Amino acid sequence: MMTADGTFVGQICHIEGALEGGERFNPHMTNEQRRHESNLLLMCHAHHKITDDVNQFPTAAMRQIKQNHERRFSDPSYIMLQSIQDWTSSSAPSGVKNLARISQSLKWSLSSEELRENIEELNSYIETFHRIPLETRHFLGQIAYRMQYASKTFGLPREGAYEFMPVKDVESVFNLSSSQVNQIFSQMRHYRLGAVEEISCEGINPPYGAFLFDLPSGWPLWIDLAEFCANENIDIREISNEMKFEILDI
């Protein structure tokens, strides 16, 4: 786990927490068991933070990650298989049929023709979205949800027609360094999901903001999805990570 310039960025993650109050803490373990290698997992900072979500990453899931990781680097045949398999193509999601649920939730006033165009555009988007790596999809969902929350609660600054989140806020909210934010948004730009751009908004220092891209029609898809999830009490990961776009239908 090294950057291009040779800096080691790996972190030791405890599967079952080292201290009481830690993620997945097991009071029945001894301190010796907690620091034993069988309870440790090497991860990058971003994935270490993501796995703090114990609902998505319970103990069993973390042990499976450790097992898969160790197998990947110890079994030559597994390494060979990994090198030739495209995991992003293994589970194409279903498209949407009517968008009736999100339409009602967001109180859209669209004609049947406009709604049909949205359905066609979204289904075209879904065909390529499932090929985007999970880590990138996960971050997309999280920052969209945060931007929607901030917009509703505090109001986000604007650059032209677009709302943006100051890069310093992204770093603070997600506990990321500026280089990590740049790396993530480099991937986001590659997949046409979002970008970090220099802005002219007064009072923002350094003058950089994080934007999410609209669809070609101008539809701010991920901001709408985040608002829909907030209204309906749905975890946005069901869409960004699990790609259950069918929940937008009735």
Side-chain angles (χ1 to χ4, degrees):
M1 292 185 183
M2 305 183 78
T3 62
D5 63 3
T7 302
F8 182 72
V9 294
Q11 296 184 340
I12 298 298
C13 169
H14 286 82
I15 294 175
E16 296 185 82
L19 300 172
E20 187 172 357
E23 288 74 20
R24 297 171 294 274
F25 178 78
N26 181 353
H28 303 295
M29 293 180 76
T30 65
N31 286 333
E32 186 64 28
Q33 289 172 323
R34 293 186 183 105
R35 57 176 172 258
H36 191 268
E37 64 85 18
S38 62
N39 191 47
L40 303 177
L41 183 59
L42 183 64
M43 309 188 90
C44 67
H45 173 79
H47 286 120
H48 195 170
K49 294 298 295 181
I50 289 171
T51 56
D52 283 350
D53 184 341
V54 298
N55 292 320
Q56 187 177 5
F57 296 95
T59 299
M62 294 293 288
R63 295 202 180 281
Q64 185 63 55
I65 291 173
K66 177 179 174 69
Q67 179 181 334
N68 292 345
H69 182 78
E70 291 176 347
R71 181 184 175 196
R72 178 182 178 187
F73 291 99
S74 62
D75 184 344
S77 63
Y78 189 75
I79 295 173
M80 184 178 296
L81 287 173
Q82 285 284 87
S83 68
I84 61 174
Q85 185 168 357
D86 179 4
W87 289 100
T88 64
S89 64
S90 60
S91 56
S94 302
V96 297
K97 296 179 179 178
N98 54 54
L99 294 179
R101 187 176 180 188
I102 187 173
S103 180
Q104 291 180 9
S105 179
L106 302 188
K107 296 180 172 58
W108 287 349
S109 299
L110 301 178
S111 67
S112 57
E113 177 63 20
E114 290 172 328
L115 192 59
R116 184 188 62 78
E117 290 175 355
N118 277 8
I119 292 169
E120 291 178 356
E121 184 175 35
L122 181 53
N123 282 336
S124 177
Y125 177 85
I126 291 170
E127 288 179 4
T128 57
F129 182 74
H130 80 280
R131 295 184 178 275
I132 297 172
L134 173 60
E135 295 85 355
T136 305
R137 300 199 316 264
H138 176 84
F139 184 79
L140 171 64
Q142 295 306 302
I143 194 168
Y145 199 86
R146 178 65 189 186
M147 289 178 73
Q148 180 275 147
Y149 168 79
S151 180
K152 291 284 188 182
T153 307
F154 316 110
L156 284 174
R158 303 184 74 87
E159 179 78 357
Y162 297 97
E163 289 184 319
F164 68 89
M165 189 171 178
V167 166
K168 280 298 182 185
D169 289 358
V170 178
E171 295 171 8
S172 176
V173 168
F174 296 102
N175 194 22
L176 297 171
S177 68
S178 59
S179 62
Q180 288 172 320
V181 171
N182 287 333
Q183 182 180 10
I184 291 171
F185 271 93
S186 176
Q187 296 173 340
M188 297 268 283
R189 178 183 287 278
H190 175 75
Y191 292 108
R192 298 183 178 87
L193 300 173
V196 166
E197 302 281 2
E198 188 170 2
I199 55 180
S200 58
C201 190
E202 193 172 330
I204 304 296
N205 187 35
Y208 293 95
F211 297 82
L212 296 184
F213 293 158
D214 294 345
L215 296 191
S217 67
W219 181 9
L221 174 64
W222 282 96
I223 298 302
D224 276 3
L225 291 177
E227 184 178 357
F228 165 75
C229 288
N231 290 351
E232 301 295 318
N233 196 28
I234 294 172
D235 190 328
I236 198 168
R237 289 173 299 188
E238 290 192 39
I239 301 176
S240 61
N241 295 27
E242 300 172 35
M243 298 179 287
K244 296 179 179 178
F245 287 93
E246 64 270 18
I247 65 176
L248 305 177
D249 295 331
I250 290 180

